[in-house]
Amino acid sequence: MCGAELHPGDEFCDMCGSRVESAPRLELSREEPPRQGPRPDVGDVPSCPVCGTRKSGRFCEEDGYDFDTGRQAERPQAFTQPVAKPQDGTAPSGPLPPAKARTWTAVIAADREYFEAVRAQGGPDAAAIAFPPYCPDRLVSLAGQRVQIGRRSASRGIEPEIDLSVPPEDPGVSRLHAVLLAQPDGSWSLVDPGSANGTTLNDELDPVPVNVPVPLKDGDRVHVGAWTTLTLRSPE
């Protein structure tokens, strides 16, 4: 003890904090933990008949079902369509745009300018060939590892993917005139396997070499026969 004056009933010294030996010991009663009441019967809480979510208010938090009227709220179209993810990391907004096609295409057309160039070069049959009065453009998708260009021949077993035997038939096109070959990077190359009248590219007058692959790019024009031009379009 420190000798400080004690008062009757003091249990601890006000100066040094020591317990007074003569002070009665207090027995602290242990408090029992509160008993938990019975769990609420969750079976009484109604669930949404559409998605099964338990009711927490008038409207279902998942699909907007109205528990009071028994009707489901119509959701805006923006909630039912996927949204595009911006490149800058900001919050997405608006519907997801349609995916771009990844397939090259060829537009087949009767090319008047090419026809005039062929006729100007002369030849035994040039004067007898007439440009077709009506020949609508055709669009063909390039698929697989190779696309053959020519005229169908059942007797020779030639079934070109781009069949130029349909009317009006170009008389200058060979049965197997040219072949388009798919490249590992997704582009295409042109090969003339030895056609009778040759194959030219864009504004070149000289035909491409036989059996030599020639790389193609978007917008290239492949000329075959007397008037047929195939314009290549890339998916980009």
Side-chain angles (χ1 to χ4, degrees):
M1 297 294 291
C2 61
E5 182 180 0
L6 299 176
H7 300 280
D10 289 344
E11 183 178 2
F12 296 95
C13 177
D14 293 335
M15 296 297 295
C16 64
S18 299
R19 187 178 187 280
V20 180
E21 295 296 334
S22 60
R25 295 183 178 273
L26 298 178
E27 295 293 337
L28 299 178
S29 61
R30 291 186 178 180
E31 295 183 359
E32 295 184 359
R35 296 182 180 181
Q36 296 181 352
R39 297 180 60 185
D41 186 3
V42 295
D44 295 338
V45 180
S47 300
C48 174
V50 178
C51 65
T53 303
R54 294 191 178 279
K55 178 182 178 182
S56 59
R58 174 177 174 178
F59 298 97
C60 176
E61 297 179 353
E62 295 294 329
D63 53 39
Y65 176 80
D66 191 335
F67 286 93
D68 291 351
T69 63
R71 298 175 58 186
Q72 184 176 4
E74 295 183 1
R75 308 191 73 181
Q77 188 177 13
F79 286 92
T80 59
Q81 292 186 353
V83 293
K85 185 177 181 180
Q87 298 296 328
D88 56 2
T90 58
S93 61
L96 184 68
K100 293 183 178 180
R102 303 300 302 172
T103 304
W104 281 62
T105 57
V107 180
I108 307 170
D111 189 342
R112 184 81 188 199
E113 183 178 355
Y114 168 62
F115 169 75
E116 296 295 344
V118 170
R119 192 164 63 171
Q121 291 180 355
D125 301 326
I129 299 176
F131 188 78
Y134 177 72
C135 185
D137 294 353
R138 287 191 293 153
L139 180 66
V140 177
S141 297
L142 307 184
Q145 294 302 310
R146 68 173 186 172
V147 175
Q148 301 177 96
I149 303 171
R151 292 186 295 142
R152 179 178 178 273
S153 175
S155 60
R156 299 182 184 180
I158 299 177
E159 299 285 346
E161 286 75 19
I162 298 181
D163 184 10
L164 300 179
S165 63
V166 296
E169 185 175 358
D170 190 331
V173 176
S174 300
R175 293 296 179 182
L176 181 57
H177 196 107
V179 180
L180 301 176
L181 299 178
Q183 301 302 301
D185 62 353
S187 64
W188 293 80
S189 63
L190 170 67
V191 174
D192 186 325
S195 63
N197 297 311
T199 303
T200 58
L201 186 63
N202 297 323
D203 297 325
E204 296 293 333
L205 297 179
D206 296 329
V208 298
V210 175
N211 285 327
V212 176
V214 178
L216 297 174
K217 62 182 182 298
D218 177 58
D220 277 347
R221 292 169 288 118
V222 178
H223 307 293
V224 297
W227 63 66
T228 304
T229 294
L230 296 86
T231 303
L232 280 297
R233 297 298 184 191
S234 76
E236 304 301 332

